[in-house]
Amino acid sequence: MISTWLTRLINVDVSDPDDARRRTLLNILVLATLGCLVVGLGVTLAAQWMYPDEPGTWDTMYYAIGIAAVLCVISLALAHVNRLWAGLLAATLYLLLLLALAPGTDTPVEVVAGRSMVWLVIPVLAASFVLRPWASFVFFGASCAVVAGVAMSEAIPIVPNMYGFLVFFAVALVSWLAARGLERSIAEVRYQSDLRAAAERARLEMLQTQTVVLETRVAERTQELIDQGQRQMRFLDAVSHDLRSPLQAIMISLGTLQIELVDQELVDLVQNALVAAERLTSLADSLLDLAKLGQGEIKVMLTDVPLLAVVDNGLTIVRPVAQEKNIVLTVTGDDVMLRADVNQVKQIPTSNGFCGHCR
């Protein structure tokens, strides 16, 4: 729970990644400063308990800690406002707080040439990272001005530590170089990331283009196959119709001839020819059904068909060949009714197998 709360305080949701990085660092510094203020409050309370004879000093410390805490909270709140000016204002307010914290909580002597002069290095160092790299030189000048201003206002007979000013400048220079190098490194990483993203987008666009081309080719090939299948179906339809007309004429002629014949042997031969013609008609019907099947128009009429009649009908065409070889073909057994289409059952190819066997 505490880690989640701290994460929400530190991280900032803004569109500019550089601004987000600076605000995140600023929030970390502000929270650290708040922690130092809490510790300073505890130390002040302990010192007041040990030295109660200096009431004015402790009141000043309490005021300084309270004002600093309020300014830190304001900076933290501004850092979470999604506006560019809010981040700059929050960082500037925090850095000014650091500049004012030393002279507000310590003696003028310590500010001019003592421990608090070291504290003034912090805003010089932080400025280049929470504002801009060149801001470290601005706060270098501000830190020097604070030290000189305290020395002049208090008329302290101490010359400000010039070596301290050189340290301020050295820290500002190093901070500027580090922040500038960091920004360049981040910019290079971002540039490489953009290049990889652009390459990935180009690859995806190429894959999409290839996919579209393949889909177009598949659609064209599919349409070609459909057209080819339709042409084949139309051809089968035409062939079946062309076969049925002469076959019907043959069957009519054979039927008439069968009526006129007297010789039983010739009648049987004509009957076999009629059966063969019916088989050819059935094959023509099969071609027509195949054409209808390709067009999705075939219909199956289911009726009760006797199995023995189907087998006997299949043996009719091979009986003359069997008789020549003194083979008698008969169908016996219990009759079984099939649930099937009569025309489809008649198209079962049996003649080739029987003839090949008989020969």
Side-chain angles (χ1 to χ4, degrees):
M1 181 65 72
I2 296 177
S3 61
T4 303
W5 180 73
L6 287 176
T7 301
R8 290 179 179 177
L9 282 178
I10 293 174
N11 294 330
V12 181
D13 186 14
V14 293
S15 58
D16 187 3
D18 289 332
D19 190 22
R21 174 179 58 82
R22 295 189 185 98
R23 295 193 192 201
T24 300
L25 180 58
L26 174 63
N27 291 338
I28 294 173
L29 292 175
V30 170
L31 291 176
T33 303
L34 285 173
C36 292
L37 291 176
V38 171
V39 174
L41 179 61
V43 171
T44 303
L45 290 173
Q48 184 181 8
W49 179 76
M50 295 176 63
Y51 304 102
D53 296 333
E54 301 178 3
T57 303
W58 310 127
D59 292 340
T60 303
M61 292 294 294
Y62 291 140
Y63 289 145
I65 292 174
I67 294 173
V70 171
L71 293 177
C72 285
V73 172
I74 294 175
S75 298
L76 193 63
L78 285 173
H80 285 82
V81 177
N82 193 6
R83 293 290 186 274
L84 179 61
W85 60 265
L88 297 175
L89 181 59
T92 304
L93 182 62
Y94 173 72
L95 293 174
L96 292 176
L97 167 64
L98 294 181
L99 286 177
L101 199 59
T105 58
D106 209 344
T107 62
V109 174
E110 295 295 340
V111 173
V112 174
R115 56 178 176 265
S116 291
M117 192 174 186
V118 179
W119 175 265
L120 294 174
V121 173
I122 298 177
V124 178
L125 180 64
S128 59
F129 293 98
V130 297
L131 280 176
R132 296 292 186 271
W134 49 263
S136 58
F137 294 108
V138 174
F139 279 87
F140 153 71
S143 297
C144 293
V146 168
V147 173
V150 170
M152 294 175 61
S153 63
E154 298 293 337
I156 300 174
I158 300 175
V159 178
N161 189 352
M162 301 305 297
Y163 291 104
F165 290 166
L166 292 177
V167 170
F168 288 166
F169 179 78
V171 171
L173 180 61
V174 172
S175 179
W176 172 72
L177 291 173
R180 192 179 177 192
L182 177 62
E183 288 192 349
R184 287 184 176 179
S185 299
I186 293 175
E188 181 64 24
V189 171
R190 190 172 298 140
Y191 175 71
Q192 295 296 331
S193 178
D194 291 340
L195 286 181
R196 288 192 294 269
E200 184 66 19
R201 287 194 298 270
R203 188 180 69 85
L204 290 177
E205 290 176 358
M206 182 180 66
L207 290 176
Q208 291 176 353
T209 303
Q210 292 177 350
T211 302
V212 171
V213 172
L214 289 176
E215 289 177 350
T216 303
R217 290 180 179 176
V218 169
E220 292 175 352
R221 183 56 181 166
T222 302
Q223 188 61 41
E224 290 177 0
L225 293 175
I226 292 174
D227 295 340
Q228 183 179 359
Q230 291 178 348
R231 289 194 297 270
Q232 291 176 351
M233 292 302 105
R234 289 194 293 269
F235 172 75
L236 292 176
D237 191 9
V239 169
S240 63
H241 282 92
D242 291 342
L243 286 176
R244 286 175 63 86
S245 297
L247 286 174
Q248 289 177 354
I250 292 173
M251 291 178 65
I252 292 172
S253 300
L254 289 175
T256 303
L257 180 61
Q258 189 179 27
I259 296 173
E260 299 296 332
L261 290 176
V262 178
D263 189 349
Q264 184 60 38
E265 184 176 355
L266 293 176
V267 171
D268 293 338
L269 291 175
V270 172
Q271 179 62 32
N272 292 335
L274 280 172
V275 172
E278 289 178 354
R279 288 294 180 86
L280 290 176
T281 303
S282 179
L283 290 175
D285 291 338
S286 298
L287 292 176
L288 183 61
D289 290 340
L290 183 60
K292 291 181 178 179
L293 179 63
Q295 299 174 359
E297 299 177 356
I298 191 169
K299 296 181 180 179
V300 178
M301 303 297 294
L302 298 179
T303 57
D304 293 332
V305 181
L307 179 60
L308 293 181
V310 173
V311 176
D312 186 70
N313 181 63
L315 294 176
T316 301
I317 196 170
V318 297
R319 277 198 173 97
V321 179
Q323 290 176 357
E324 291 178 1
K325 298 183 179 294
N326 297 323
I327 298 174
V328 179
L329 300 177
T330 59
V331 180
T332 59
D334 297 333
D335 200 1
V336 177
M337 302 302 290
L338 298 177
R339 189 70 177 169
D341 188 302
V342 177
N343 294 326
Q344 299 295 329
V345 171
K346 289 181 179 180
Q347 295 170 14
I348 298 176
T350 57
S351 59
N352 289 340
F354 277 110
C355 291
H357 178 72
C358 294
R359 291 191 183 92

